[in-house]
Short mmCIF file of all heavy atoms in Angstrom, two decimals:
data_model
loop_
_atom_site.label_atom_id
_atom_site.label_comp_id
_atom_site.label_asym_id
_atom_site.label_seq_id
_atom_site.Cartn_x
_atom_site.Cartn_y
_atom_site.Cartn_z
N TYR D 210 10.41 18.96 -10.41
CA TYR D 210 11.71 18.84 -9.76
C TYR D 210 12.17 17.40 -9.70
O TYR D 210 11.43 16.52 -9.27
CB TYR D 210 11.60 19.40 -8.34
CG TYR D 210 12.87 19.31 -7.53
CD1 TYR D 210 13.98 20.08 -7.84
CD2 TYR D 210 12.95 18.44 -6.44
CE1 TYR D 210 15.14 20.00 -7.09
CE2 TYR D 210 14.11 18.36 -5.68
CZ TYR D 210 15.20 19.14 -6.01
OH TYR D 210 16.35 19.05 -5.26
N GLU D 211 13.39 17.16 -10.13
CA GLU D 211 14.00 15.85 -9.94
C GLU D 211 15.30 16.02 -9.19
O GLU D 211 16.20 16.72 -9.64
CB GLU D 211 14.23 15.16 -11.28
CG GLU D 211 12.92 14.81 -11.94
CD GLU D 211 13.09 13.93 -13.15
OE1 GLU D 211 14.12 13.26 -13.28
OE2 GLU D 211 12.16 13.93 -13.98
N HIS D 212 15.37 15.35 -8.07
CA HIS D 212 16.52 15.53 -7.20
C HIS D 212 17.58 14.53 -7.58
O HIS D 212 17.34 13.33 -7.65
CB HIS D 212 16.07 15.33 -5.75
CG HIS D 212 17.11 15.73 -4.77
ND1 HIS D 212 17.69 16.98 -4.76
CD2 HIS D 212 17.67 15.04 -3.75
CE1 HIS D 212 18.57 17.04 -3.76
NE2 HIS D 212 18.58 15.89 -3.13
N ALA D 213 18.77 15.03 -7.82
CA ALA D 213 19.81 14.19 -8.40
C ALA D 213 20.54 13.35 -7.36
O ALA D 213 21.12 12.34 -7.68
CB ALA D 213 20.81 15.06 -9.15
N ARG D 214 20.52 13.76 -6.10
CA ARG D 214 21.34 13.01 -5.16
C ARG D 214 20.52 12.49 -4.00
O ARG D 214 19.40 12.95 -3.78
CB ARG D 214 22.52 13.85 -4.68
CG ARG D 214 22.16 15.21 -4.20
CD ARG D 214 23.41 15.95 -3.68
NE ARG D 214 22.99 17.18 -3.08
CZ ARG D 214 23.33 18.40 -3.51
NH1 ARG D 214 24.13 18.53 -4.53
NH2 ARG D 214 22.88 19.46 -2.90
N PRO D 215 21.05 11.52 -3.26
CA PRO D 215 20.23 10.87 -2.24
C PRO D 215 20.10 11.67 -0.95
O PRO D 215 19.39 11.25 -0.04
CB PRO D 215 20.98 9.55 -1.98
CG PRO D 215 22.39 9.82 -2.38
CD PRO D 215 22.35 10.84 -3.46
N THR D 216 20.76 12.81 -0.87
CA THR D 216 20.69 13.62 0.34
C THR D 216 19.60 14.67 0.19
O THR D 216 19.34 15.15 -0.90
CB THR D 216 22.05 14.30 0.59
OG1 THR D 216 23.06 13.31 0.58
CG2 THR D 216 22.06 15.04 1.92
N SER D 217 18.98 15.01 1.30
CA SER D 217 17.94 16.04 1.31
C SER D 217 18.42 17.34 0.71
O SER D 217 19.54 17.78 0.99
CB SER D 217 17.51 16.29 2.76
OG SER D 217 16.65 17.39 2.84
N PRO D 218 17.59 17.99 -0.11
CA PRO D 218 17.95 19.34 -0.59
C PRO D 218 17.82 20.40 0.51
O PRO D 218 18.34 21.50 0.36
CB PRO D 218 16.95 19.59 -1.72
CG PRO D 218 15.76 18.74 -1.39
CD PRO D 218 16.31 17.53 -0.68
N VAL D 219 17.09 20.07 1.56
CA VAL D 219 17.06 20.95 2.73
C VAL D 219 18.35 20.70 3.50
O VAL D 219 18.65 19.55 3.83
CB VAL D 219 15.86 20.63 3.64
CG1 VAL D 219 15.91 21.46 4.91
CG2 VAL D 219 14.56 20.85 2.88
N PHE D 220 19.13 21.75 3.76
CA PHE D 220 20.40 21.47 4.45
C PHE D 220 20.50 22.14 5.81
O PHE D 220 21.51 22.07 6.47
CB PHE D 220 21.60 21.77 3.56
CG PHE D 220 21.78 23.21 3.18
CD1 PHE D 220 22.71 24.00 3.82
CD2 PHE D 220 21.00 23.78 2.17
CE1 PHE D 220 22.87 25.33 3.48
CE2 PHE D 220 21.16 25.10 1.83
CZ PHE D 220 22.09 25.88 2.49
N ASN D 221 19.42 22.77 6.24
CA ASN D 221 19.34 23.19 7.65
C ASN D 221 17.95 22.87 8.17
O ASN D 221 16.95 23.33 7.61
CB ASN D 221 19.64 24.68 7.81
CG ASN D 221 19.78 25.07 9.29
OD1 ASN D 221 19.45 24.29 10.18
ND2 ASN D 221 20.26 26.28 9.54
N TYR D 222 17.89 22.07 9.20
CA TYR D 222 16.65 21.79 9.92
C TYR D 222 16.74 22.56 11.24
O TYR D 222 17.33 22.08 12.21
CB TYR D 222 16.52 20.28 10.18
CG TYR D 222 16.34 19.45 8.93
CD1 TYR D 222 17.41 19.19 8.08
CD2 TYR D 222 15.09 18.93 8.59
CE1 TYR D 222 17.24 18.43 6.92
CE2 TYR D 222 14.91 18.17 7.43
CZ TYR D 222 15.99 17.93 6.60
OH TYR D 222 15.82 17.19 5.46
N PRO D 223 16.20 23.79 11.26
CA PRO D 223 16.39 24.66 12.43
C PRO D 223 15.76 24.05 13.69
O PRO D 223 14.66 23.50 13.63
CB PRO D 223 15.68 25.96 12.04
CG PRO D 223 15.44 25.88 10.58
CD PRO D 223 15.36 24.42 10.24
N PHE D 224 16.45 24.20 14.79
CA PHE D 224 15.93 23.67 16.04
C PHE D 224 14.63 24.34 16.42
O PHE D 224 13.73 23.71 16.98
CB PHE D 224 16.97 23.85 17.16
CG PHE D 224 16.58 23.18 18.45
CD1 PHE D 224 16.15 21.85 18.46
CD2 PHE D 224 16.64 23.87 19.66
CE1 PHE D 224 15.79 21.22 19.65
CE2 PHE D 224 16.29 23.24 20.85
CZ PHE D 224 15.86 21.92 20.85
N ALA D 225 14.50 25.63 16.10
CA ALA D 225 13.26 26.34 16.44
C ALA D 225 12.05 25.61 15.83
O ALA D 225 11.01 25.45 16.48
CB ALA D 225 13.33 27.77 15.93
N LYS D 226 12.20 25.14 14.62
CA LYS D 226 11.11 24.45 13.93
C LYS D 226 10.91 23.04 14.51
O LYS D 226 9.78 22.59 14.75
CB LYS D 226 11.44 24.37 12.44
CG LYS D 226 10.35 23.81 11.57
CD LYS D 226 10.80 23.77 10.09
CE LYS D 226 9.76 23.06 9.24
NZ LYS D 226 10.24 22.81 7.87
N THR D 227 12.01 22.35 14.71
CA THR D 227 11.95 20.99 15.24
C THR D 227 11.34 20.98 16.64
O THR D 227 10.48 20.16 16.97
CB THR D 227 13.38 20.40 15.29
OG1 THR D 227 13.92 20.42 13.97
CG2 THR D 227 13.37 18.99 15.82
N ARG D 228 11.79 21.91 17.45
CA ARG D 228 11.32 22.01 18.84
C ARG D 228 9.83 22.30 18.87
O ARG D 228 9.08 21.69 19.65
CB ARG D 228 12.09 23.14 19.50
CG ARG D 228 12.05 23.15 21.00
CD ARG D 228 12.74 24.41 21.53
NE ARG D 228 13.14 24.26 22.91
CZ ARG D 228 12.31 24.08 23.92
NH1 ARG D 228 11.01 24.00 23.70
NH2 ARG D 228 12.75 23.96 25.16
N LYS D 229 9.39 23.23 18.02
CA LYS D 229 7.98 23.59 17.97
C LYS D 229 7.13 22.37 17.60
O LYS D 229 6.05 22.14 18.16
CB LYS D 229 7.79 24.71 16.94
CG LYS D 229 6.44 25.36 16.96
CD LYS D 229 6.41 26.52 15.95
CE LYS D 229 4.96 26.85 15.59
NZ LYS D 229 4.88 27.62 14.34
N ALA D 230 7.63 21.58 16.67
CA ALA D 230 6.88 20.38 16.26
C ALA D 230 6.79 19.39 17.41
O ALA D 230 5.72 18.84 17.69
CB ALA D 230 7.56 19.75 15.04
N LEU D 231 7.88 19.18 18.10
CA LEU D 231 7.86 18.22 19.20
C LEU D 231 6.99 18.72 20.35
O LEU D 231 6.29 17.94 21.01
CB LEU D 231 9.28 17.91 19.68
CG LEU D 231 10.05 16.97 18.72
CD1 LEU D 231 11.55 17.18 18.84
CD2 LEU D 231 9.71 15.51 19.01
N GLU D 232 7.02 20.02 20.59
CA GLU D 232 6.14 20.60 21.61
C GLU D 232 4.67 20.31 21.27
O GLU D 232 3.86 19.98 22.15
CB GLU D 232 6.34 22.13 21.69
CG GLU D 232 7.63 22.57 22.34
CD GLU D 232 7.61 22.38 23.85
OE1 GLU D 232 6.52 22.21 24.44
OE2 GLU D 232 8.71 22.38 24.45
N GLN D 233 4.33 20.43 20.00
CA GLN D 233 2.96 20.15 19.57
C GLN D 233 2.65 18.66 19.74
O GLN D 233 1.57 18.28 20.21
CB GLN D 233 2.79 20.58 18.12
CG GLN D 233 1.53 20.08 17.43
CD GLN D 233 0.25 20.69 17.99
OE1 GLN D 233 0.15 21.90 18.13
NE2 GLN D 233 -0.72 19.85 18.35
N MET D 234 3.58 17.81 19.35
CA MET D 234 3.35 16.36 19.44
C MET D 234 3.14 15.91 20.89
O MET D 234 2.43 14.93 21.13
CB MET D 234 4.55 15.59 18.88
CG MET D 234 4.68 15.64 17.37
SD MET D 234 6.13 14.65 16.85
CE MET D 234 6.98 15.86 15.84
N LYS D 235 3.79 16.59 21.81
CA LYS D 235 3.63 16.25 23.23
C LYS D 235 2.17 16.20 23.64
O LYS D 235 1.77 15.42 24.51
CB LYS D 235 4.32 17.32 24.11
CG LYS D 235 5.77 17.11 24.39
CD LYS D 235 6.39 18.36 25.00
CE LYS D 235 5.77 18.73 26.36
NZ LYS D 235 6.49 19.92 26.93
N LEU D 236 1.37 17.06 23.02
CA LEU D 236 -0.03 17.18 23.43
C LEU D 236 -0.80 15.88 23.20
O LEU D 236 -1.81 15.63 23.86
CB LEU D 236 -0.70 18.33 22.68
CG LEU D 236 -0.01 19.69 22.82
CD1 LEU D 236 -0.78 20.75 22.04
CD2 LEU D 236 0.14 20.10 24.29
N ALA D 237 -0.34 15.07 22.28
CA ALA D 237 -1.05 13.81 22.03
C ALA D 237 -0.80 12.82 23.17
O ALA D 237 -1.52 11.82 23.30
CB ALA D 237 -0.61 13.22 20.70
N ASP D 238 0.22 13.09 23.95
CA ASP D 238 0.51 12.27 25.13
C ASP D 238 0.69 10.79 24.77
O ASP D 238 0.19 9.91 25.45
CB ASP D 238 -0.63 12.43 26.16
CG ASP D 238 -0.13 12.14 27.57
OD1 ASP D 238 1.08 12.29 27.82
OD2 ASP D 238 -0.96 11.73 28.40
#
Side-chain angles (χ1 to χ4, degrees):
Chain D
Y210 178 69
E211 293 190 22
H212 190 54
R214 50 177 187 242
T216 307
S217 172
V219 175
F220 65 102
N221 189 349
Y222 293 76
F224 187 49
K226 186 181 174 189
T227 302
R228 197 186 200 297
K229 191 176 159 199
L231 285 154
E232 287 286 343
Q233 167 68 49
M234 287 181 233
K235 273 168 62 177
L236 304 181
D238 205 26

